[in-house]
Amino acid sequence: MSDQERIKVGQHIQEVEGLRPGAVRRTVLRGAQLAGLDQYLARAPLKSVRVSGELRDDGGHFTGDHICGTIRISARRVQGEDYGIPFRWGEVATVATSATTPEQAMQRTFVHELGHCLLYRLMEQEGREAVKALIKPVFREAVDMSRTVSERAEENWHEYFCETFSASVYHHRELTSRDPVGYRMVQQARALLEVDHGDS
Ligand SMILES: [Zn+2]
């Protein structure tokens, strides 16, 4: 399928480090296409995607982060912890843990971090307070009503946005019934950034 090769280094992402072999690279980067960001990233490319064996901070191992257009992804994935956990709305640690393979989990982490990237760009465009005013009340209500997709989504409004964004990609139908307000929030963010839904 030529579709799998649509996200191109040098076009959608300026540089990619540490993603070998090619099949893994295609699987992970395909997340941007599944998220309907291919045309958007062609206009506004990511700076870089860096994959490494392990990412650690004071809190221990973590699976990925986003800083100013650079996304880092950890390749260290433990079955039953980082992937391979049956999806149940509101009961999983993160949307990524329900991936069935390490590569799919890395892809889901990539999509979550793309959410952080969109949020960052939205704050640059609209101002931090305006974005907070848009998302934080939706987050609070979702937590109060137990509508959040994952434990991570309950942490703060940033994580709520990114996990809801991931849910819009991987659990779209369930999102529209379980957290329709969150779904509309994601759609609103996409509209503000003029993110189209690709050709697919
Ligand atoms: Zn996050």
Side-chain angles (χ1 to χ4, degrees):
M1 243 169 73
S2 62
D3 266 0
Q4 293 179 338
E5 312 234 24
R6 204 192 276 165
I7 299 298
K8 289 192 164 52
V9 179
Q11 187 183 342
H12 302 88
I13 303 166
Q14 285 165 7
E15 54 162 4
V16 175
E17 275 182 25
L19 261 182
R20 295 282 185 275
V24 176
R25 181 184 181 116
R26 279 194 296 277
T27 299
V28 174
L29 297 186
R30 189 159 190 271
Q33 191 188 324
L34 293 176
L37 297 178
D38 40 353
Q39 291 179 20
Y40 173 72
L41 290 179
R43 287 202 313 273
L46 274 178
K47 218 176 278 175
S48 62
V49 173
R50 295 165 199 257
V51 177
S52 60
E54 189 166 28
L55 293 170
R56 297 192 75 86
D57 62 11
D58 294 344
H61 172 251
F62 63 98
T63 53
D65 66 4
H66 164 264
I67 302 165
C68 306
T70 291
I71 287 176
R72 295 192 299 168
I73 300 167
S74 169
R76 177 182 177 271
R77 303 284 158 157
V78 178
Q79 187 165 18
E81 196 176 306
D82 302 306
Y83 74 97
I85 298 169
F87 181 74
R88 281 193 199 89
W89 191 271
E91 290 178 26
V92 289
T94 67
V95 170
T97 60
S98 294
T100 50
T101 66
E103 293 76 22
Q104 296 286 347
M106 287 165 68
Q107 183 196 78
R108 286 179 176 224
T109 295
F110 180 45
V111 168
H112 174 103
E113 301 306 332
L114 282 168
H116 280 293
C117 179
L118 292 183
L119 204 49
Y120 170 78
R121 289 178 174 184
L122 197 57
M123 290 191 281
E124 274 192 329
Q125 181 183 303
E126 307 288 322
R128 189 177 189 281
E129 289 310 310
V131 176
K132 188 176 169 183
L134 178 74
I135 299 174
K136 203 173 175 185
V138 183
F139 160 66
R140 286 249 176 268
E141 192 188 313
V143 171
D144 288 348
M145 306 293 281
S146 302
R147 285 200 305 248
T148 49
V149 62
S150 65
E151 290 168 11
R152 177 69 55 81
E154 295 174 35
E155 279 179 22
N156 55 55
W157 60 272
H158 288 251
E159 295 306 323
Y160 171 69
F161 178 83
C162 296
E163 284 293 284
T164 307
F165 179 69
S166 296
S168 76
V169 176
Y170 297 105
H171 304 284
H172 185 269
R173 189 187 294 249
E174 213 168 347
L175 174 64
T176 58
S177 64
R178 297 278 202 153
D179 187 8
V181 186
Y183 173 66
R184 283 200 294 277
M185 166 195 75
V186 170
Q187 295 300 91
Q188 202 175 347
R190 295 182 81 106
L192 284 167
L193 286 167
E194 296 178 8
V195 178
D196 39 51
H197 291 266
D199 326 312
S200 48

